[in-house]
Amino acid sequence: MSDVLAITEHRRGELRDESFEIISAGRELADDAGGDLHLAVISGDVDSFADNLNREGVDAIHTVENGEEFNHDVYVQAVEALYNDLAPTFVLMPNSVNGLDYAPAVANRLDLPLVTDVIGFEYDGTLTTTREMYGSKVETTVDVEGDQFAVTTRGAEWPEAEGVGDAEVSAFDFEVDESAVRSTVTGFEEVGSGDVDISEAEFIVSIGRGIEEEENLPLIEDLVEATGATLASSRPIVDNGWLPKNRQVGQSGAQVTPQVYLAIGISGAVQHVAGMKGAETIIAVNTDPNAPIFDIADYGVVGDLFDVVPELIEKFS
Ligand SMILES: Cc1cc2nc3c(=O)[nH]c(=O)nc-3n(C[C@H](O)[C@H](O)[C@H](O)COP(=O)(O)OP(=O)(O)OC[C@H]3O[C@@H](n4cnc5c(N)ncnc54)[C@H](O)[C@@H]3O)c2cc1C
């Protein structure tokens, strides 16, 4: 059997979207390979997490009750112990800040080839993965030799798993080697403390260099208020210091997956698109009919944002 072990992720008592996306990724790979999909949830309120993770396509859920929050050393040990017990062909981990913290250590300890930031894969005895390079300008396929593999999957590339499943849930007990726990989580601080997490937003109004100057921000803030949206931006807005870094969408910013992404005065550079192409519906407002953002937009308004935005505010107010 070529089983898949996928590691889920939570933060501050809540499962992250990556957990449900990795179920879809894992199911796809398990179907390709003809194996079962095992999920592991490590630390925190594992029993209620397991209830929530019991979605269609999951065969087994292993709860590892060690520690309250993410801890690199506990995760490494837990994944290693699960791997030794289950002997899966594939270990999938999220390509998140936490996932990238422990995945290389896991691969090193288990002597597995590791492919990171994967957006697609196929398995027919050889694992073929798809990755993006050069700021998402080039798509590459990477064949990986071996019998067992470690992969980190990029968020938002697979849909979130839905439907209630009938996976077997069991507690996985193992002794943490406390002498090998060298890191401690001492606290949690949001970037730009007290501010929102745009990666969780359902409706995003995002602005780009088209707004020209900081003095025009209040116009957009009026639209945000009228629509109940979350404000985000392209990189130049952040580089100019008009919005904090945690509002930046893109390759070097946040990845977002809202239901609606309204891009105002954003050209649609690949580095920006890398962060928002997972949006369900993309709407773009741009004066340039040839702006690349229109290539991926579901709806487009070719027009001046200084005309369009006041009209939108009026309609929504
Ligand atoms: C390594 C690297 C990482 C990067 N990471 C990111 C990232 O994470 N996120 C990101 O966004 N960028 C990132 N970039 C920068 C990226 O390449 C682009 O420069 C940036 O996305 C462009 O931002 P923009 O669309 O706001 O500006 P521009 O490309 O200048 O586009 C402005 C748009 O506004 C339109 N416009 C102008 N006036 C109006 C008006 N009155 N009404 C309507 N439309 C108007 C124009 O037609 C134009 O299409 C990165 C670059 C590099 C090299």
Side-chain angles (χ1 to χ4, degrees):
M1 288 275 276
S2 293
D3 292 343
V4 176
L5 168 64
I7 315 300
T8 61
E9 176 155 328
H10 54 90
R11 186 192 290 168
R12 305 186 89 191
E14 294 205 2
L15 287 165
R16 310 270 298 155
D17 292 350
E18 287 95 329
S19 294
F20 301 99
E21 292 155 2
I22 211 166
I23 294 175
S24 300
R27 185 67 258 161
E28 187 187 314
L29 193 52
D31 285 345
D32 252 15
D36 285 343
L37 171 60
H38 294 255
L39 285 193
V41 54
I42 303 166
S43 308
D45 189 1
V46 289
D47 292 330
S48 89
F49 290 149
D51 276 352
N52 207 344
L53 288 165
N54 206 335
R55 303 274 164 113
E56 265 171 34
V58 182
D59 296 299
I61 301 176
H62 307 274
T63 59
V64 184
E65 210 171 330
N66 290 94
E68 285 301 305
E69 283 280 358
F70 173 77
N71 177 294
H72 168 100
D73 297 307
V74 171
Y75 264 65
V76 172
Q77 289 189 40
V79 179
E80 188 179 8
L82 282 157
Y83 177 88
N84 288 334
D85 190 60
L86 300 169
T89 302
F90 311 93
V91 183
L92 298 193
M93 295 160 275
N95 199 70
S96 59
V97 172
N98 287 352
L100 290 174
D101 196 19
Y102 64 86
V106 165
N108 184 43
R109 295 261 293 244
L110 299 174
D111 200 18
L112 297 176
L114 171 68
V115 195
T116 57
D117 203 19
V118 164
I119 60 167
F121 31 51
E122 277 175 31
Y123 181 71
D124 59 4
T126 299
L127 177 67
T128 302
T129 60
T130 309
R131 309 180 75 234
E132 287 180 333
M133 298 176 76
Y134 303 117
S136 305
K137 286 197 178 94
V138 176
E139 216 169 71
T140 56
T141 53
V142 181
D143 288 344
V144 196
E145 286 177 10
D147 300 319
Q148 285 158 304
F149 312 88
V151 172
T152 69
T153 51
R154 186 187 286 185
E157 291 296 329
W158 283 269
E160 290 184 26
E162 291 180 349
V164 179
D166 57 359
E168 191 181 313
V169 180
S170 57
F172 181 80
D173 290 322
F174 85 104
E175 285 286 310
V176 178
D177 175 3
E178 294 295 345
S179 67
V181 177
R182 283 174 241 121
S183 56
T184 316
V185 179
T186 55
F188 183 92
E189 204 175 314
E190 293 276 3
V191 179
S193 156
D195 212 338
V196 290
D197 178 0
I198 60 170
S199 67
E200 300 286 337
E202 291 297 329
F203 177 20
I204 291 180
V205 167
S206 193
I207 47 167
R209 196 152 29 197
I211 74 154
E212 292 173 7
E213 47 192 359
E214 192 174 11
E215 283 60 38
N216 294 323
L217 260 182
L219 173 68
I220 306 297
E221 282 162 354
D222 285 350
L223 177 64
V224 165
E225 201 184 317
T227 55
T230 299
L231 181 61
S233 77
S234 66
R235 181 165 161 173
I237 303 297
V238 171
D239 286 350
N240 282 336
W242 302 346
L243 284 179
K245 173 79 180 162
N246 64 334
R247 299 285 176 149
Q248 182 184 321
V249 173
Q251 183 191 322
S252 49
Q255 288 208 345
V256 297
T257 51
Q259 281 171 13
V260 178
Y261 189 85
L262 175 53
I264 300 176
I266 293 177
S267 60
V270 282
Q271 295 87 355
H272 184 78
V273 170
M276 48 67 79
K277 66 182 175 195
E280 220 161 275
T281 302
I282 298 168
I283 308 170
V285 179
N286 200 304
T287 42
D288 176 5
N290 297 316
I293 192 79
F294 287 129
D295 295 340
I296 57 157
D298 299 284
Y299 301 95
V301 181
V302 178
D304 189 325
L305 73 90
F306 298 105
D307 299 328
V308 177
V309 172
E311 285 204 33
L312 286 175
I313 294 169
E314 204 184 304
K315 284 266 188 300
F316 277 99
S317 297

